Amino acid sequence: QVQLVESGGGLVQPGGSLRLSCAASGRTFSNYGMGWFRQAPGKEREFVAAIDNYGATTSYAGSVEGRFTISRDNAKNTVYLQMNSLKPEDTAVYYCAGSVFLFSKDVYNYWGQGTQVTVSS
């Protein structure tokens, strides 16, 4: 019912910034909580950030809090992840995810294909 397509990944130097975008299909985007996850080579997928359906409430992993900002534009069916002060340990495939719950940090029903973020000199 929902398709998610991430974009905006790439290679960036430590301390740099990237903004990831996730475009969602459908006309009921505002009914879904959204989140970002990431998975580095050899590691399990981990939670990065979540946002409620209205964009009023957000939550972040401790490792990114203060550096990353999740936001959404329901008129554009798009969720964003602004990543600042990037570190090499942020290198991972980043996944956009949607939840049938209005806000969730752990229950997600729809996933994008992922976009690679590499932080390196």
Side-chain angles (χ1 to χ4, degrees), residues 46-111:
E46 65 175 344
F47 167 80
V48 174
I51 190 167
D52 80 291
N53 62 319
Y54 289 109
T57 302
T58 59
S59 181
Y60 299 92
S63 58
V64 308
E65 196 163 23
R67 299 187 297 121
F68 290 11
T69 302
I70 187 171
S71 61
R72 67 191 296 162
D73 186 340
N74 287 351
K76 297 181 178 180
N77 282 11
T78 302
V79 62
Y80 306 95
L81 185 68
Q82 178 67 47
M83 305 185 294
N84 299 325
S85 301
L86 283 162
K87 305 174 181 179
E89 49 263 48
D90 295 318
T91 296
V93 176
Y94 283 71
Y95 297 91
C96 176
S99 176
V100 296
F101 294 100
L102 301 183
F103 180 76
S104 179
K105 295 187 290 183
D106 49 16
V107 179
Y108 286 87
N109 309 92
Y110 308 100
W111 295 86

